[in-house]
Amino acid sequence: MYLVLVCLRYLRLAMALVLVFHVLATCGHREGKYDGDENYDVRIETFSEPEYLRAAIYAFDSEGIGYAAQPLYTKEDYGYSRKEFILHRSRDRGRTWEAIGKRQGNCVEISTYKDYIYFVVYYYDYYKKIDAPSEILRCSTKNNYKLERVSRFDREIYEFHVFNDSTYACGMSLGDERDTLLVTKDSGKTWEEPALPGNFGGEQYLAYDGNNVYVALFMNDGSGQALMVKDIVNGKETIIPFRSLYSIAASGNLFTANPDLNFYHYDGDTKEEISSFRWNPWQGSYHPISLVKRGDFVVCRALQFPGETGKKDCLFGSVDGGYHWKSFLMGDDMGFPVVPIGDADDISAGVDSLSVFFTNGKTLNVLTLKKKSGKE
């Protein structure tokens, strides 16, 4: 009888340990069921990155035409500088590229809007040791890519965004972690600084979605951090208190941030936490790099510091608007943002799909989420 009681005691202990380990393995990782294998196609196409694009940055237009700005390195007394860049174009969703022109300056951002390609360019004189003056340039795809200046600034700008034909925004570095937001409503002729209830210090504190700019602020009243969501077009402003906020990414009324990689739905007035995703539970903090949402399809790219070798970076996605997630790819060299690829044929045909372009080490890649034929 004593032996039976001892066995039962150890059996209960073993069952308790199994339960504890199960809770530890799932707590904070609300991934849930993912029906991608059943109702959705997930395809990743991979091709070698040409040597001449090894340090390029990328953008795609609504028709799926890709553009890459590749820096040229000039030998100086102190080393190498970026004083020019080559603009490349792809007509096959990033598989092959052709050079279409050389431009002056160090291009740090490239984006598209309608028939225009926009560039943020820095000019830096090593010997003067001053803040880099910067410019916003653009060229028309319908006018032989002729370059024109939109605006020039005495300091570095970053996170440039086009809302409509005349309204743009960007951040400007002021030093001492006290940057400012700039907005123009006359296509860059004049810029204003909207009054902010706090300050921020870098591109990781800014994100855009639709007409909204998301700014992670350190509040002037000493209350800590808060997220300001401001509609740049109609002026509506919402302040959402946060315990900690950094590395914001937003798309399609969905946003996320460091350190927890929680995902929130924003309805124009309030936020609702709908999910969280951590591919290495209980290790380090998680930094979203980019978030792309079209309909219910979502793709996110994030980094973990510190992280397990081979799993520091993760590309993951959702087919239900961000409520459940599945990892697609992990690695250690996936730090650049994913770039949405316009697919005019799918959109015109009413096909539910999302394609994004990304780099991974020495490869170029296209990931496509698409609803399987006949699935409702």
Coordinates of all heavy atoms in Angstrom, one line a residue, residues 181 195-200 202-209 212-221 223-231 236-251 253-258 262-273 288 291:
L181 N 8.8 67.3 -35.5 CA 8.0 66.8 -36.7 C 7.7 68.0 -37.6 O 7.4 69.1 -37.1 CB 6.7 66.2 -36.2 CG 5.7 65.7 -37.3 CD1 6.3 64.4 -37.9 CD2 4.3 65.4 -36.6
A195 N 2.5 71.7 -32.9 CA 2.8 71.7 -31.4 C 2.6 70.3 -30.9 O 1.6 69.7 -31.1 CB 1.8 72.7 -30.8
L196 N 3.6 69.8 -30.2 CA 3.6 68.5 -29.6 C 3.6 68.6 -28.1 O 4.3 69.4 -27.5 CB 4.8 67.7 -30.0 CG 5.0 67.5 -31.6 CD1 6.3 66.7 -31.8 CD2 3.8 66.8 -32.2
P197 N 2.9 67.7 -27.4 CA 2.8 67.7 -25.9 C 4.0 67.0 -25.3 O 4.0 66.8 -24.1 CB 1.5 67.0 -25.6 CG 1.4 66.0 -26.7 CD 1.9 66.7 -27.9
G198 N 5.0 66.7 -26.1 CA 6.2 66.0 -25.6 C 7.3 66.1 -26.6 O 7.2 66.8 -27.7
N199 N 8.4 65.3 -26.4 CA 9.5 65.3 -27.4 C 9.8 63.8 -27.7 O 9.5 62.9 -27.0 CB 10.7 66.1 -26.9 CG 11.2 65.5 -25.6 OD1 11.9 64.5 -25.5 ND2 10.9 66.2 -24.5
F200 N 10.6 63.7 -28.8 CA 11.0 62.3 -29.2 C 12.4 62.5 -29.8 O 12.9 63.6 -30.0 CB 10.1 61.7 -30.2 CG 10.0 62.5 -31.5 CD1 10.7 62.0 -32.6 CD2 9.2 63.6 -31.7 CE1 10.6 62.7 -33.8 CE2 9.1 64.3 -32.9 CZ 9.8 63.8 -34.0
G202 N 14.3 60.4 -32.6 CA 14.8 59.5 -33.7 C 13.7 58.8 -34.5 O 12.5 58.9 -34.1
E203 N 14.1 58.2 -35.6 CA 13.1 57.6 -36.5 C 12.4 56.5 -35.9 O 11.3 56.2 -36.4 CB 13.9 57.1 -37.8 CG 14.9 56.1 -37.5 CD 15.8 55.8 -38.7 OE1 15.3 55.0 -39.6 OE2 16.8 56.4 -38.9
Q204 N 12.9 55.8 -34.9 CA 12.2 54.7 -34.2 C 10.9 55.2 -33.5 O 10.1 54.3 -33.2 CB 13.1 54.0 -33.2 CG 14.4 53.4 -33.8 CD 15.5 54.3 -33.8 OE1 15.4 55.5 -33.6 NE2 16.7 53.8 -34.0
Y205 N 10.8 56.5 -33.3 CA 9.6 57.0 -32.6 C 8.5 57.5 -33.6 O 7.5 58.0 -33.1 CB 10.1 58.1 -31.7 CG 11.0 57.7 -30.6 CD1 12.4 57.6 -30.8 CD2 10.5 57.4 -29.3 CE1 13.2 57.3 -29.7 CE2 11.3 57.0 -28.3 CZ 12.7 56.9 -28.5 OH 13.5 56.5 -27.5
L206 N 8.7 57.3 -34.9 CA 7.7 57.8 -35.8 C 7.2 56.6 -36.7 O 8.0 55.7 -37.1 CB 8.4 58.8 -36.8 CG 8.5 60.2 -36.3 CD1 9.1 61.1 -37.4 CD2 7.2 60.8 -35.9
A207 N 5.9 56.6 -37.0 CA 5.4 55.7 -38.0 C 4.2 56.4 -38.7 O 3.6 57.3 -38.1 CB 4.9 54.4 -37.3
Y208 N 3.8 55.9 -39.8 CA 2.7 56.5 -40.6 C 1.7 55.4 -41.0 O 2.1 54.2 -41.2 CB 3.2 57.2 -41.9 CG 4.2 58.3 -41.6 CD1 5.5 58.1 -41.7 CD2 3.7 59.5 -41.2 CE1 6.4 59.1 -41.5 CE2 4.6 60.6 -41.0 CZ 6.0 60.3 -41.1 OH 6.9 61.4 -40.9
D209 N 0.4 55.8 -41.1 CA -0.6 54.8 -41.5 C -1.8 55.7 -42.0 O -2.4 56.4 -41.2 CB -1.0 53.9 -40.4 CG -2.2 53.0 -40.8 OD1 -2.3 52.7 -42.0 OD2 -3.0 52.6 -39.9
N212 N -2.6 59.2 -40.7 CA -2.1 59.3 -39.4 C -0.6 59.3 -39.3 O 0.0 58.5 -40.0 CB -2.7 58.3 -38.5 CG -4.2 58.4 -38.3 OD1 -4.7 59.6 -38.2 ND2 -4.9 57.3 -38.2
V213 N -0.1 60.1 -38.4 CA 1.3 59.9 -37.9 C 1.3 59.4 -36.5 O 0.5 60.0 -35.7 CB 2.1 61.2 -38.1 CG1 1.5 62.4 -37.4 CG2 3.6 61.0 -37.6
Y214 N 2.1 58.4 -36.2 CA 2.2 57.9 -34.8 C 3.5 58.4 -34.3 O 4.6 58.2 -34.9 CB 2.2 56.4 -34.8 CG 0.9 55.7 -35.2 CD1 0.4 55.8 -36.5 CD2 0.2 55.0 -34.3 CE1 -0.8 55.1 -36.9 CE2 -1.0 54.3 -34.6 CZ -1.5 54.4 -35.9 OH -2.7 53.8 -36.2
V215 N 3.5 59.0 -33.1 CA 4.7 59.6 -32.5 C 4.8 59.1 -31.1 O 3.9 59.4 -30.3 CB 4.7 61.1 -32.6 CG1 6.1 61.6 -32.1 CG2 4.4 61.6 -33.9
A216 N 5.9 58.4 -30.7 CA 6.1 58.0 -29.3 C 6.8 59.2 -28.6 O 7.9 59.6 -28.9 CB 6.9 56.8 -29.3
L217 N 6.1 59.8 -27.6 CA 6.5 61.0 -27.0 C 6.9 60.7 -25.5 O 6.3 59.9 -24.8 CB 5.4 62.0 -27.0 CG 5.0 62.6 -28.3 CD1 3.7 63.4 -28.2 CD2 6.1 63.3 -29.0
F218 N 7.9 61.5 -25.0 CA 8.2 61.7 -23.6 C 7.5 62.9 -23.2 O 7.8 64.0 -23.6 CB 9.7 61.8 -23.4 CG 10.4 60.5 -23.7 CD1 11.0 60.3 -25.0 CD2 10.6 59.5 -22.8 CE1 11.7 59.2 -25.3 CE2 11.3 58.3 -23.1 CZ 11.8 58.2 -24.4
M219 N 6.4 62.8 -22.4 CA 5.5 63.9 -22.2 C 6.1 65.1 -21.4 O 6.9 64.8 -20.5 CB 4.2 63.4 -21.5 CG 3.5 62.3 -22.2 SD 2.9 62.9 -23.9 CE 1.5 63.9 -23.3
N220 N 5.8 66.3 -21.8 CA 6.3 67.5 -21.1 C 5.9 67.6 -19.6 O 6.6 68.2 -18.8 CB 5.9 68.7 -21.9 CG 6.6 68.8 -23.2 OD1 7.7 68.3 -23.4 ND2 5.9 69.5 -24.2
D221 N 4.7 67.0 -19.3 CA 4.2 67.2 -18.0 C 4.8 66.2 -17.0 O 4.4 66.1 -15.8 CB 2.7 67.1 -18.0 CG 2.2 65.7 -18.5 OD1 3.0 64.8 -18.7 OD2 1.0 65.5 -18.7
S223 N 4.6 62.9 -17.1 CA 3.7 61.7 -16.9 C 4.3 60.5 -17.5 O 3.7 59.4 -17.4 CB 2.3 62.0 -17.4 OG 2.4 62.3 -18.8
G224 N 5.4 60.6 -18.2 CA 6.0 59.4 -18.8 C 5.8 59.4 -20.3 O 5.8 60.5 -20.9
Q225 N 5.7 58.2 -20.8 CA 5.6 58.1 -22.3 C 4.1 58.0 -22.7 O 3.3 57.6 -21.9 CB 6.3 56.9 -22.8 CG 7.8 57.1 -23.0 CD 8.4 56.1 -23.9 OE1 8.8 55.0 -23.5 NE2 8.6 56.4 -25.2
A226 N 3.8 58.4 -23.9 CA 2.5 58.3 -24.5 C 2.6 58.2 -26.0 O 3.6 58.7 -26.6 CB 1.6 59.5 -24.1
L227 N 1.6 57.7 -26.7 CA 1.6 57.6 -28.1 C 0.6 58.7 -28.6 O -0.6 58.7 -28.2 CB 1.1 56.2 -28.6 CG 0.9 56.1 -30.1 CD1 2.3 56.2 -30.8 CD2 0.2 54.8 -30.4
M228 N 1.1 59.6 -29.4 CA 0.2 60.6 -30.1 C -0.1 60.1 -31.5 O 0.8 59.8 -32.3 CB 0.9 61.9 -30.2 CG 0.0 63.0 -30.8 SD 0.9 64.6 -31.1 CE 1.7 64.1 -32.7
V229 N -1.4 60.0 -31.8 CA -1.8 59.6 -33.1 C -2.5 60.9 -33.7 O -3.5 61.3 -33.1 CB -2.8 58.4 -33.1 CG1 -3.2 58.1 -34.5 CG2 -2.2 57.2 -32.4
K230 N -1.9 61.4 -34.7 CA -2.4 62.7 -35.2 C -2.8 62.5 -36.7 O -2.0 62.1 -37.5 CB -1.4 63.8 -35.1 CG -1.9 65.2 -35.5 CD -0.8 66.2 -35.3 CE -1.3 67.6 -35.6 NZ -2.3 68.1 -34.7
D231 N -4.0 62.9 -37.0 CA -4.5 62.9 -38.4 C -4.0 64.2 -39.0 O -4.4 65.3 -38.7 CB -6.0 62.8 -38.5 CG -6.5 62.6 -39.9 OD1 -6.0 63.3 -40.8 OD2 -7.4 61.8 -40.1
K236 N -7.2 65.9 -36.3 CA -7.6 65.2 -35.1 C -6.4 64.6 -34.4 O -5.5 64.0 -35.0 CB -8.6 64.1 -35.4 CG -9.1 63.3 -34.2 CD -10.1 62.3 -34.6 CE -10.6 61.5 -33.4 NZ -11.6 60.5 -33.7
E237 N -6.4 64.7 -33.0 CA -5.2 64.2 -32.3 C -5.7 63.4 -31.1 O -6.6 63.8 -30.4 CB -4.4 65.4 -31.8 CG -3.2 65.0 -31.0 CD -2.4 66.3 -30.7 OE1 -2.0 67.0 -31.6 OE2 -2.2 66.5 -29.4
T238 N -5.1 62.2 -30.9 CA -5.4 61.3 -29.7 C -4.1 61.0 -29.0 O -3.1 60.7 -29.6 CB -6.0 60.0 -30.2 OG1 -7.2 60.3 -31.0 CG2 -6.4 59.1 -29.0
I239 N -4.2 61.1 -27.6 CA -3.0 60.8 -26.8 C -3.4 59.5 -26.0 O -4.4 59.4 -25.3 CB -2.7 61.9 -25.8 CG1 -2.4 63.2 -26.5 CG2 -1.5 61.5 -24.9 CD1 -1.2 63.2 -27.4
I240 N -2.5 58.5 -26.2 CA -2.7 57.2 -25.5 C -1.5 56.9 -24.6 O -0.4 56.7 -25.1 CB -2.8 56.0 -26.6 CG1 -3.9 56.4 -27.6 CG2 -3.1 54.7 -25.9 CD1 -3.9 55.4 -28.8
P241 N -1.7 56.9 -23.3 CA -0.6 56.6 -22.3 C 0.0 55.2 -22.5 O -0.8 54.2 -22.8 CB -1.3 56.7 -21.0 CG -2.6 57.5 -21.2 CD -3.0 57.1 -22.6
F242 N 1.3 55.1 -22.4 CA 2.0 53.8 -22.5 C 3.0 53.7 -21.4 O 3.6 54.8 -21.0 CB 2.7 53.7 -23.8 CG 1.9 52.9 -24.9 CD1 1.0 53.5 -25.7 CD2 2.0 51.5 -25.0 CE1 0.3 52.9 -26.6 CE2 1.3 50.8 -25.9 CZ 0.4 51.5 -26.8
R243 N 3.3 52.5 -20.9 CA 4.4 52.4 -19.9 C 5.7 52.5 -20.6 O 6.6 53.2 -20.0 CB 4.3 51.0 -19.3 CG 5.4 50.6 -18.3 CD 5.2 49.3 -17.7 NE 5.1 48.2 -18.7 CZ 6.2 47.7 -19.3 NH1 7.4 48.0 -18.9 NH2 6.0 46.8 -20.2
S244 N 5.9 51.9 -21.7 CA 7.1 52.0 -22.5 C 6.8 51.9 -24.0 O 5.9 51.1 -24.3 CB 8.1 50.9 -22.0 OG 9.3 51.0 -22.8
L245 N 7.5 52.7 -24.8 CA 7.2 52.7 -26.2 C 8.4 53.0 -27.0 O 9.1 54.0 -26.8 CB 6.1 53.8 -26.4 CG 5.2 53.7 -27.7 CD1 4.5 52.4 -27.8 CD2 4.3 54.9 -27.7
Y246 N 8.7 52.2 -28.0 CA 9.9 52.4 -28.9 C 9.7 51.5 -30.1 O 9.0 50.6 -30.1 CB 11.1 52.0 -28.1 CG 12.4 52.2 -28.7 CD1 12.9 53.5 -28.9 CD2 13.2 51.2 -29.2 CE1 14.2 53.7 -29.5 CE2 14.4 51.4 -29.8 CZ 14.9 52.7 -30.0 OH 16.1 52.9 -30.6
S247 N 10.4 51.9 -31.2 CA 10.4 51.1 -32.4 C 8.9 50.9 -32.9 O 8.5 49.7 -32.9 CB 11.1 49.8 -32.3 OG 12.5 50.0 -32.1
I248 N 8.2 51.9 -33.3 CA 6.8 51.8 -33.7 C 6.7 51.4 -35.2 O 7.5 51.8 -36.0 CB 6.1 53.1 -33.5 CG1 6.2 53.6 -32.1 CG2 4.6 53.0 -33.9 CD1 5.6 55.0 -31.9
A249 N 5.8 50.5 -35.5 CA 5.4 50.2 -36.8 C 3.9 50.2 -36.9 O 3.2 49.7 -36.0 CB 6.0 48.8 -37.2
A250 N 3.3 50.6 -38.0 CA 1.9 50.8 -38.2 C 1.5 50.5 -39.6 O 2.2 50.9 -40.6 CB 1.4 52.1 -37.7
S251 N 0.3 50.0 -39.8 CA -0.3 49.8 -41.1 C -1.7 49.3 -41.0 O -2.0 48.4 -40.1 CB 0.5 48.7 -41.9 OG 0.0 48.6 -43.2
N253 N -4.6 50.5 -39.6 CA -5.2 50.6 -38.3 C -4.6 49.6 -37.3 O -5.3 49.3 -36.3 CB -6.7 50.5 -38.4 CG -7.3 51.7 -39.1 OD1 -6.8 52.8 -39.0 ND2 -8.4 51.4 -39.8
L254 N -3.5 49.0 -37.6 CA -2.8 48.1 -36.7 C -1.4 48.7 -36.4 O -0.8 49.2 -37.3 CB -2.7 46.7 -37.4 CG -2.1 45.5 -36.5 CD1 -3.2 45.1 -35.5 CD2 -1.7 44.4 -37.5
F255 N -1.0 48.6 -35.1 CA 0.3 49.1 -34.8 C 0.9 48.2 -33.7 O 0.2 47.5 -32.9 CB 0.3 50.6 -34.4 CG -0.3 50.9 -33.0 CD1 0.6 50.9 -31.9 CD2 -1.6 51.2 -32.8 CE1 0.0 51.2 -30.6 CE2 -2.1 51.5 -31.6 CZ -1.3 51.5 -30.5
T256 N 2.3 48.2 -33.6 CA 3.0 47.4 -32.6 C 4.2 48.2 -32.2 O 4.6 49.2 -32.9 CB 3.4 46.0 -33.2 OG1 4.0 45.3 -32.1 CG2 4.3 46.2 -34.4
A257 N 4.9 47.8 -31.2 CA 6.1 48.5 -30.7 C 6.9 47.7 -29.8 O 6.4 46.6 -29.3 CB 5.6 49.8 -29.9
N258 N 8.1 48.1 -29.6 CA 9.0 47.5 -28.6 C 8.5 47.9 -27.2 O 8.0 49.0 -27.0 CB 10.5 48.0 -28.8 CG 11.4 47.7 -27.7 OD1 11.5 48.5 -26.8 ND2 12.1 46.6 -27.8
N262 N 3.5 43.6 -28.7 CA 2.0 43.5 -28.7 C 1.4 44.2 -29.9 O 2.0 45.3 -30.3 CB 1.5 44.1 -27.4 CG 1.9 43.3 -26.1 OD1 2.2 42.1 -26.2 ND2 2.1 44.0 -25.0
F263 N 0.3 43.7 -30.4 CA -0.3 44.3 -31.5 C -1.7 44.9 -31.1 O -2.5 44.3 -30.4 CB -0.6 43.3 -32.6 CG 0.7 42.9 -33.3 CD1 1.5 41.9 -32.7 CD2 1.2 43.5 -34.4 CE1 2.7 41.5 -33.3 CE2 2.4 43.1 -35.0 CZ 3.1 42.1 -34.5
Y264 N -1.9 46.2 -31.6 CA -3.1 46.9 -31.2 C -3.9 47.3 -32.4 O -3.3 47.7 -33.4 CB -2.7 48.2 -30.4 CG -1.8 47.9 -29.2 CD1 -0.5 47.9 -29.2 CD2 -2.4 47.7 -27.9 CE1 0.3 47.6 -28.1 CE2 -1.7 47.5 -26.8 CZ -0.3 47.5 -26.9 OH 0.5 47.2 -25.8
H265 N -5.2 47.3 -32.3 CA -6.1 47.9 -33.3 C -6.5 49.3 -32.8 O -6.9 49.5 -31.7 CB -7.3 47.0 -33.5 CG -8.3 47.6 -34.4 ND1 -9.4 48.3 -34.1 CD2 -8.3 47.5 -35.8 CE1 -10.1 48.7 -35.2 NE2 -9.4 48.2 -36.2
Y266 N -6.3 50.2 -33.7 CA -6.7 51.6 -33.4 C -7.9 52.0 -34.3 O -7.8 51.9 -35.5 CB -5.5 52.5 -33.7 CG -5.8 54.0 -33.5 CD1 -6.0 54.5 -32.2 CD2 -5.9 54.9 -34.6 CE1 -6.3 55.9 -32.1 CE2 -6.2 56.2 -34.4 CZ -6.4 56.7 -33.2 OH -6.7 58.0 -33.0
D267 N -9.0 52.4 -33.6 CA -10.2 52.7 -34.3 C -10.4 54.2 -34.6 O -11.5 54.6 -35.0 CB -11.4 52.1 -33.6 CG -11.6 52.8 -32.2 OD1 -10.9 53.7 -31.9 OD2 -12.5 52.4 -31.5
G268 N -9.4 55.0 -34.4 CA -9.6 56.4 -34.5 C -9.7 57.2 -33.2 O -9.6 58.4 -33.2
D269 N -10.0 56.5 -32.2 CA -10.2 57.1 -30.8 C -9.4 56.3 -29.8 O -8.8 56.9 -28.9 CB -11.7 57.2 -30.5 CG -12.4 58.1 -31.3 OD1 -12.1 59.3 -31.3 OD2 -13.4 57.7 -32.0
T270 N -9.5 55.0 -29.8 CA -8.9 54.2 -28.7 C -8.1 53.0 -29.3 O -8.3 52.7 -30.5 CB -10.0 53.6 -27.8 OG1 -10.9 52.8 -28.5 CG2 -10.7 54.7 -27.1
K271 N -7.3 52.4 -28.5 CA -6.6 51.2 -28.9 C -7.1 50.0 -28.2 O -7.7 50.0 -27.1 CB -5.1 51.3 -28.6 CG -4.8 51.3 -27.1 CD -3.3 51.3 -26.8 CE -3.0 51.4 -25.3 NZ -3.4 50.2 -24.5
E272 N -7.0 48.8 -28.9 CA -7.4 47.5 -28.3 C -6.3 46.5 -28.6 O -5.9 46.3 -29.8 CB -8.7 47.0 -29.0 CG -9.1 45.6 -28.5 CD -10.2 45.0 -29.3 OE1 -10.6 45.6 -30.3 OE2 -10.7 43.9 -28.9
E273 N -5.8 46.0 -27.5 CA -4.7 44.9 -27.7 C -5.4 43.7 -28.2 O -6.3 43.1 -27.6 CB -4.0 44.7 -26.4 CG -2.8 43.7 -26.6 CD -2.1 43.4 -25.3 OE1 -2.3 44.2 -24.3 OE2 -1.4 42.4 -25.2
P288 N 10.0 45.8 -33.7 CA 9.4 45.7 -35.0 C 10.2 46.6 -36.0 O 10.5 47.8 -35.6 CB 8.0 46.2 -34.8 CG 8.0 47.0 -33.6 CD 9.1 46.5 -32.7
L291 N 5.8 46.9 -40.8 CA 4.5 46.2 -40.7 C 3.8 46.6 -42.0 O 3.7 47.8 -42.3 CB 3.8 46.7 -39.5 CG 2.4 46.0 -39.2 CD1 2.6 44.6 -38.8 CD2 1.7 46.8 -38.0

